[in-house]
Amino acid sequence: AVTGANLEIAAVSLEARVVELDELVVNADHVPIINKPDTLEYNALAFKTRINATAEELLKLLPGIQVGSDGTITAQGKTVQKVLVDGKEFFGRDPKIATQNLPADAIDKVQVFDKRSDMAEFTGIEDGNEETTINLELKADARVGYFGRLLGGGGPGVDGSETVAGAPSGEDPRYTAAASINRFSSTVQLAGLANLNNIGQRGFGKEGGQSEGFHESISFALNASQDFGNNSWLRSSFSRNDNDDRIDRVSNEQQLQGALISNERDVTSGETSSATTNRFNLDGQYSLSDWHQLRFRGSLADNSNHSARLSDQETRDVSGAFKNSARTNLGTGSDNLSGNANLTWRKRLNTAGRSLVAEATASLSSPDRLTEIRSLTSFVVPGGGRDSLDTWQTNQQDGRTLSLTQRLSLVEPLGSGSVLELFGQHRSIDEDQDIAVDDLGSGTPVPNDLLSSAFERTYSYLSGGTRLSRNSASTRMTLGLEVQHSQLDGTIIDRDETISNSYTNWLPSANMRLDLGDGKNLTFRYSTNSNEPSLTQLQPFSNVTNPLNVYIGNPDLQPEYRHNGRVDYRFFDQFSFLSLSSYLNVSTTRDEIVSSRTIDDAGKQEVMPINYGNGWNTSAGGSIGSPIRSLGIQADLNYSFDRSTGSELVNSVANDSRVVTHGVGLKLQNRFKQNYDLTAGVKLAFNNVSYSLNDELNKDYLNTTLYALGSWYLSGDWTLDSDVTYQIYDQQLFGQVDNVTLWQASISRLLFNGLGEIELAGIDLLNQNQGVSIISNATLIREQRTASLGRHLMVRFSYRLGRSFSGRGQGGRGDFR
């Protein structure tokens, strides 16, 4: 360094040099997932959908969320029970209404969490009554003005479909019409829906044509929500659904009926039905002050149903020899008025946070049903001959169930994030049922006193306990212990007999959540509960609706006692976009209520519920998703495991059954969707069914589903869509079984600057649509097929009311992640 001197430096000339840098490309990937302490949040902008897509189509793109063909949503292995819009209930408790009617481009965030019960929200302590919930958080510009959609379409009928008088027919012309209108703001939600169709769409669900059977419906609904400030609000909705159905089914069964004894049964049935349902929901909260609130939740429903069913069945042994047969004609008319109400009150007693919380709940169901049965059964008798039984009866059932609950809690903060709750609860369930059976064989009704009954029962519960909650920055924990005393008092009126039992159970519980940092968390839940036998299970009377399978109640049944445990792990890396989730469920049931079956040589059964042994259920699964940038794709792999064990008695001999299912799924889709959007995948279901009583019925079978769907964005406003699903069934299960390919395709054009869209769609182009289900349980393995709407064409036009929302590329164009 030079200091303390004067220096003179000559001018320094700098020479300019031009250097050309490589091209700089800025590509802003949206962070798709944020793993918050209690919530898994998806950024909707990171998942591109087509123009005019619904929220359900958006959910199908989200890792860890699956949407079934019927619209049922599962998240992290749990069924979603509620969908909120901006944190508010939307059309009551039906999750599908929101997901299948709101536009995808109106959504900013999708949040998945376990919503606490009203009681737990007021106390701040989990009570084990959480509901898996999705919240659709709207974009800011979706809360200004209105938006909606009008749709109409039609097409010719389906050739070759049989016609049943008074029921929807495949030969009838196809039609669909729908309308939705929404007006949202920060404080108000108003919405209206209407739907009319005969293409298999139920209620306000998605458009279809591949559902089981033939279906026609008219539906409309209104939803209104208002926030009043000061933490006060009111939500309400009303819906009406009128449905007509025609269901024709064929099933093949392999039945376990004893050691080294098995039968094969074929059943053919046809049913027509009509049903009307009106439902009203009301949910509100009023705050008298910051720490003094009232919350009310209630619903009222009226349902009427009329149906006629004709079925033929024949049972043979494994050699093909006849065992029995039945032709049954069943007509039913029923009405049921039901409702429930819940009132919760909270009052803060001091500045430290001591609070009183009270809750009162009431529910009422009043079903009435009249059934007329005409059946002719034939069966073998000793010596090789046949006998027959002709049954012609009416069965009138009138019942009522009233449930009342009162609960009081004292909540006491202990400092350092700890809160103690002391509670007491009383609950009562009052039920009565009258069954009047008349024989019609003589031409005039003759009372059948043997099958008629009148029964009343009251279950009362008195319980008390405590829960301790402790929260810190990385840990949330709740420990609880409850003692419950239950008392059963029942009366068989016609016989002047009484049933009286009492039980005392200890019900521990525990919940813990650990925030492991860097997008990782671990949750553990443990609970216990008792499950009381139903009124039908307790009544010592016979139900002979099916003369070959008679049900008899058991007044000596005891409640089941269950332990339930669940562990969840979630991880997401915001840099690599690697997501991982896994879960494990284990439950065991003591004094499990199972069936005791008595079977004669003709294959006729009498079934009675009994307490026998312990049952185990285990399920586990996980999913992993990651972009493979070198290939330009997104890959999602999931696995599920389900194992259930149980016991029953067959002619007084124990049969231990085990049903194990492994499910594997792989889904691939392109990440850059400017010109096309492709998704392909495979689902494998490995099944193992075993029986200790008869190992000849043990089965291993594999069902496979291959699927591919895509959209090709042609020049201008044209889009070509195709969706193919190929279902492969194990040919060793029921012999030769036809595999099913479902293919639908459409071409559409946007009109009026994207507000309108016209579409020509071909549904089930190969004409193979049929509802296929395979059921495995402790008694049988069944393959069932349902005749359904086949190949048809539809021309549909839709017009969007209001406007599209910002932040989503046209036709789904844009990066996936």
Side-chain angles (χ1 to χ4, degrees), residues 664-778:
V664 180
L666 174 64
K667 180 173 69 175
L668 303 175
Q669 56 186 306
N670 62 310
R671 297 181 63 240
F672 305 102
K673 302 177 182 288
Q674 291 89 344
N675 301 312
Y676 57 89
D677 182 358
L678 298 177
T679 301
V682 58
K683 300 177 183 178
L684 305 174
F686 302 87
N687 301 271
N688 173 267
V689 185
S690 61
Y691 307 97
S692 65
L693 187 59
N694 190 338
D695 57 13
E696 290 186 1
L697 284 181
N698 294 353
K699 296 290 183 181
D700 289 290
Y701 62 96
L702 167 66
N703 291 328
T704 304
T705 302
L706 303 174
Y707 64 93
L709 60 153
S711 298
W712 182 18
Y713 309 116
L714 307 174
S715 59
D717 295 320
W718 292 89
T719 300
L720 180 65
D721 291 285
S722 183
D723 184 344
V724 180
T725 301
Y726 182 44
Q727 183 68 57
I728 305 171
Y729 299 100
D730 196 315
Q731 300 301 307
Q732 304 301 316
L733 189 58
F734 288 96
Q736 186 64 36
V737 178
D738 293 334
N739 298 324
V740 175
T741 301
L742 296 177
W743 178 27
Q744 59 185 29
S746 67
I747 186 167
S748 60
R749 188 182 191 280
L750 296 175
L751 305 171
F752 311 120
N753 295 320
L755 294 179
E757 183 176 12
I758 189 167
E759 176 188 36
L760 173 63
I763 294 94
D764 188 25
L765 291 171
L766 301 181
N767 203 29
Q768 296 185 15
N769 183 32
Q770 52 185 315
V772 180
S773 63
I774 296 178
I775 300 171
S776 304
N777 59 34

Side-chain angles (χ1 to χ4, degrees), residues 164-165 167 245-248 269-274 305-311 328-333 372:
V164 177
D245 287 277
R246 170 186 156 202
I247 304 293
D248 297 319
S269 65
E271 180 176 3
T272 60
S273 65
S274 62
N305 183 285
H306 299 274
S307 65
R309 184 175 188 268
L310 177 63
S311 66
T328 304
N329 198 332
L330 194 67
T332 302
E372 181 176 344

